[in-house]
Amino acid sequence: MTILGISGSLRRGSHNSELLRAAADLLPPGVELDWFDGLKAIPPYDVDDDVEPAPRAVGELREAIASADAVLFATPEYNASIPGVLKNALDWASRPFPENTLRGKPVAVIGASTGMFGGVWAQAELRKVLGAIGARVLDRDLAVAAAHAAFHEDGRLHDDQHHTTLENIVSELVKEAERDLVPA
Ligand SMILES: Cc1cc2nc3c(=O)[nH]c(=O)nc-3n(C[C@H](O)[C@H](O)[C@H](O)COP(=O)(O)O)c2cc1C
């Protein structure tokens, strides 16, 4: 089974990418985290450009989502919302609507911020957007505040409660994806 990890931050040294790596360490045997690192190459959404074949970076995003069993997003909060690059990528991923690659896909949202609230608004907004697109959004959150001081050197979260929450979210996401693998 493959879970696609998407960090909403482009920056080297991103705390959200760090959080995704911490999640990858908690995956059960037989489950892999595939990393999507093509966000920066995705052009601004333009209906006129949304034709077949799609722009290459968009095709890669859609293909990465389609071939994953679930998607785990880690998002920063920018001005109380989702980073523009991530929203832009999701606008592309939402098309064609409603038969897009996210429809019915199990997804979960986590996030880290250097602020006091861990980016809760961005995460709530991201869950709303993913729900509107048609994904099966886990009703769980993990908001890691003061992210610059939240990780041990080995990448593990300092806070045991955060660690347990992350473990639970990963395990619920895997269970949700497993439901799709069981023949009806
Ligand atoms: C343009 C911009 C806007 C930001 N707005 C918020 C915000 O509204 N709330 C918040 O908690 N942090 C905000 N931050 C701080 C980010 O959460 C912090 O830089 C975080 O580390 C970014 O995630 P990253 O480490 O994965 O790159 C903002 C940062 C930038 C660059």
Side-chain angles (χ1 to χ4, degrees):
M1 176 181 294
T2 302
I3 295 188
L4 183 67
I6 300 182
S7 169
S9 173
L10 303 180
R11 135 185 128 77
R12 283 187 301 278
S14 155
H15 299 307
N16 284 279
S17 302
E18 208 171 3
L19 189 57
L20 269 187
R21 281 192 291 275
D25 286 345
L26 297 172
L27 289 172
V31 183
E32 285 182 358
L33 190 94
D34 247 11
W35 200 279
F36 183 76
D37 61 2
L39 271 197
K40 197 168 181 172
I42 295 177
Y45 185 82
D46 182 338
V47 176
D48 293 341
D49 296 338
D50 196 358
V51 291
E52 286 300 326
R56 206 175 75 162
V58 172
E60 286 170 1
L61 171 69
R62 288 174 176 161
E63 178 51 36
I65 294 171
S67 56
D69 298 288
V71 186
L72 179 60
F73 291 89
T75 186
E77 182 167 281
Y78 283 177
N79 301 305
S81 187
I82 312 166
V85 286
L86 182 54
K87 178 60 165 56
N88 180 57
L90 289 174
D91 290 340
W92 280 106
S94 72
R95 264 40 190 178
F97 193 83
E99 295 87 15
N100 59 67
T101 52
L102 275 168
R103 175 147 299 263
K105 185 78 64 179
V107 301
V109 174
I110 54 179
S113 151
T114 49
M116 283 172 62
F117 303 107
V120 281
W121 288 326
Q123 288 175 55
E125 196 129 312
L126 181 52
R127 275 192 293 276
K128 180 186 74 177
V129 169
L130 289 165
I133 291 172
R136 270 163 43 212
V137 188
L138 240 63
D139 189 16
R140 297 293 304 264
D141 63 85
L142 171 61
V144 177
H148 47 287
F151 296 90
H152 289 287
E153 263 181 24
D154 65 2
R156 200 185 140 96
L157 284 156
H158 277 300
D159 187 321
D160 287 344
Q161 209 169 332
H162 281 341
H163 181 83
T164 304
T165 303
L166 185 57
E167 202 164 30
N168 290 340
I169 289 173
V170 163
S171 143
E172 280 179 39
L173 188 60
V174 169
K175 278 203 193 99
E176 197 57 41
E178 277 171 352
R179 281 179 39 189
D180 295 337
L181 300 177
V182 178

